[in-house]
Amino acid sequence: MMRKQAMQQELIAGITSFFAISYIMVVNSLILTEAGMPPLLSIFATIFASMAGTFLVGIVANTPIVITPGMGVNAFFTYTLVSSMGFTWQQALAVSLVAGLLFVGITLTPLGKIINESVPESLKHGITSGIGLLLVMIGMEKGHLLVAGEHSFLSIAPLNQIDTLLTLLGFLFVVILVMKKVRGGMFIALLVITIVGNLLGIQAEGLAGASLSHLGDYGQLLFAMDFQFVGTGQFWLAVFSLLMILMFESLGLLNGLLSFLPKEEVEKAYRLTGVSVVISSLLGTSPTIPAAESAAGIENGGRTRVTSTVVFVLFGLSLFLLPFLSYIPDQAIAPLIMMTGFLMLQDLRLLNFADFYEWFPALFLCLMIPLSGSIGDGLAYGFIAYTLLQLVGGRARQTKPALLVIAALFLVNLIVTNFM
């Protein structure tokens, strides 16, 4: 009986994770369109890369993790590599491939384990909480609850808008289901809000014209890397910056999401994450990372490869059901993302607030992730702040050498990406 119940729990967790991250199919392709990539073909690349990564990190490594092209990473790909540094999208794919190969190489050496073990527990809690806060903001923005303010940086949207009101009431419904510990509560909320949204005429945006009929043209993105500038300093600067983001964002996400697994299992998943980056480059999309939205399934009881297998299958089915996904409005997905973020924020209770040297940099990291809009940048600020406090506070001997090196690399990366 318990085994059947656990299986049902994993199935619901997988469905919940998939719908929490399903927006990536549209959003990733729209961002890559600004790099010059064909939008409808990018949807296929996003799906295939998500399936490959989820198979490796989820199914092979036996974790409930979903792998997709990363939000923030795709922005770096488009707006930094292509728009700012002047690479074509084909050359940006080459940068991604080389960064992925270096990622794999590092994780196959003892250096990968040293890096993982050098991260203090307080920063790991800060990472988890920071990702949670970022998800809350993403959900609020996706559900049209959060908008740019006229007299402030951000403000809550007027509640007289039907889509905003649906998000708010939907979130309240999710909160009640979670509070009452209703099994599969998030999935139930997704279905109910979707039905209500469609009755009100609210549907998803961005999937117009998407269908399997365009798959025949997908070869334009396969193995499209251009290594023309591989011998230049600019190319390797781009590789270094992307490698830093991928390695530490993935490390932070996996440590935060898989806190219930032994370190050896997390390290295995970490190695396969690097392989996934290589595959995503070959498939013609921006680099993949563990999806923070995997937490939606984990919070619903996902603990094994069963959860990720469900996500893998649903991504495959989505190829045939792209037109039907337009019936799931953002207002149905946003409350799930917001609730997941709030649940992740619980990690703040694990910080030792009696030790300034530990809680301050962790909380600083937590806040900088959503404020910068980048997990990678938030990690950089947090690691640098932690190391500075240890050195100034006379705790240098207690600080692991690897952490000093990591902080120095983050500092170099910040200087290079902002001033050079």
Side-chain angles (χ1 to χ4, degrees):
M1 183 67 181
M2 287 297 293
R3 187 172 182 180
K4 182 180 179 181
Q5 184 176 340
M7 181 63 71
Q8 290 175 343
Q9 191 169 274
E10 296 266 3
L11 290 174
I12 292 173
I15 295 170
T16 303
S17 283
F18 171 75
F19 282 110
I21 193 58
S22 60
Y23 70 89
I24 196 68
M25 290 183 282
V26 176
V27 176
N28 189 57
S29 62
L30 291 177
I31 290 175
L32 296 183
T33 296
E34 297 191 40
M37 303 180 77
L40 295 181
L41 302 186
S42 290
I43 291 178
F44 295 125
T46 301
I47 292 173
F48 292 141
S50 299
M51 291 179 69
T54 300
F55 178 81
L56 286 172
V57 182
I59 300 174
V60 174
N62 192 21
T63 70
I65 293 296
V66 182
I67 300 291
T68 64
M71 291 296 294
V73 180
N74 51 16
F76 181 87
F77 183 96
T78 295
Y79 304 117
T80 299
L81 296 184
V82 176
S83 298
S84 297
M85 301 186 74
F87 292 111
T88 64
W89 62 264
Q90 293 92 336
Q91 291 160 356
L93 286 175
V95 170
S96 175
L97 177 63
V98 174
L101 290 171
L102 290 174
F103 188 164
V104 174
I106 290 172
T107 58
L108 288 176
T109 67
L111 185 58
K113 186 175 182 179
I114 292 171
I115 291 173
N116 190 19
E117 292 179 348
S118 68
V119 181
E121 288 300 314
S122 60
L123 287 187
K124 290 179 181 179
H125 298 317
I127 292 167
T128 303
S129 302
I131 293 168
L133 198 53
L134 178 63
L135 286 179
V136 172
M137 293 184 66
I138 289 173
M140 293 182 75
E141 184 180 3
K142 188 173 183 62
H144 303 167
L145 264 179
L146 199 63
V147 296
E150 293 183 11
H151 307 292
S152 61
F153 179 58
L154 294 170
S155 65
I156 300 297
L159 297 183
N160 58 359
Q161 302 291 328
I162 188 66
D163 52 352
T164 301
L165 195 57
L166 180 61
T167 300
L168 190 59
L169 293 176
F171 179 62
L172 178 61
F173 183 45
V174 172
V175 170
I176 293 172
L177 292 175
V178 171
M179 183 174 63
K180 295 292 185 181
K181 298 182 179 179
V182 176
R183 202 146 55 95
M186 288 195 184
F187 181 60
I188 293 171
L190 176 77
L191 293 178
V192 171
I193 301 169
T194 295
I195 293 171
V196 173
N198 278 269
L199 290 174
L200 295 173
I202 301 173
Q203 294 186 354
E205 302 172 359
L207 280 171
S211 72
L212 199 59
S213 61
H214 297 94
L215 187 59
D217 298 322
Y218 173 60
Q220 297 175 31
L221 298 185
L222 282 173
F223 309 106
M225 299 79 64
D226 179 357
F227 293 93
Q228 179 180 356
F229 293 102
V230 71
T232 65
Q234 186 182 33
F235 181 91
W236 290 102
L237 171 61
V239 168
F240 171 74
S241 299
L242 183 57
L243 177 63
M244 292 290 290
I245 293 171
L246 293 174
M247 283 189 60
F248 290 100
E249 189 162 337
S250 298
L251 181 64
L253 283 160
L254 288 175
N255 275 298
L257 295 169
L258 299 177
S259 57
F260 56 88
L261 286 180
K263 286 185 178 180
E264 297 76 20
E265 298 300 317
V266 178
E267 290 169 4
K268 180 180 180 181
Y270 187 48
R271 288 194 294 271
L272 291 173
T273 300
V275 178
S276 176
V277 172
V278 173
I279 294 174
S280 67
S281 305
L282 299 175
L283 291 174
T285 189
S286 54
T288 51
I289 60 170
E293 289 82 358
S294 301
I298 293 171
E299 293 293 343
N300 273 266
R303 291 294 182 271
T304 70
R305 62 168 59 94
V306 175
T307 295
S308 50
T309 300
V310 173
V311 177
F312 175 83
V313 171
L314 289 175
F315 264 120
L317 290 176
S318 67
L319 287 167
F320 304 93
L321 302 174
L322 284 174
F324 295 99
L325 290 177
S326 63
Y327 289 100
I328 304 173
D330 289 346
Q331 288 70 24
I333 298 172
L336 273 63
I337 298 174
M338 291 165 61
M339 190 69 243
T340 299
F342 276 110
L343 291 170
M344 292 178 73
L345 277 166
Q346 293 178 98
D347 254 42
L348 288 175
R349 76 188 191 280
L350 301 175
L351 292 176
N352 179 11
F353 283 98
D355 188 345
F356 182 86
Y357 294 92
E358 295 294 329
W359 72 257
F360 179 81
L363 199 56
F364 184 56
L365 186 156
C366 172
L367 292 173
M368 289 306 293
I369 286 178
L371 289 177
S372 66
S374 165
I375 298 174
D377 286 348
L379 289 173
Y381 288 114
F383 274 79
I384 293 170
Y386 184 92
T387 305
L388 283 176
L389 258 65
Q390 303 306 306
L391 296 177
V392 173
R395 294 188 175 190
R397 292 184 179 180
Q398 302 174 33
T399 307
K400 295 181 179 180
L403 184 62
L404 297 175
V405 174
I406 292 170
L409 289 174
F410 268 126
L411 181 60
V412 170
N413 189 54
L414 280 178
I415 293 172
V416 167
T417 54
N418 286 279
F419 298 102
M420 297 179 67

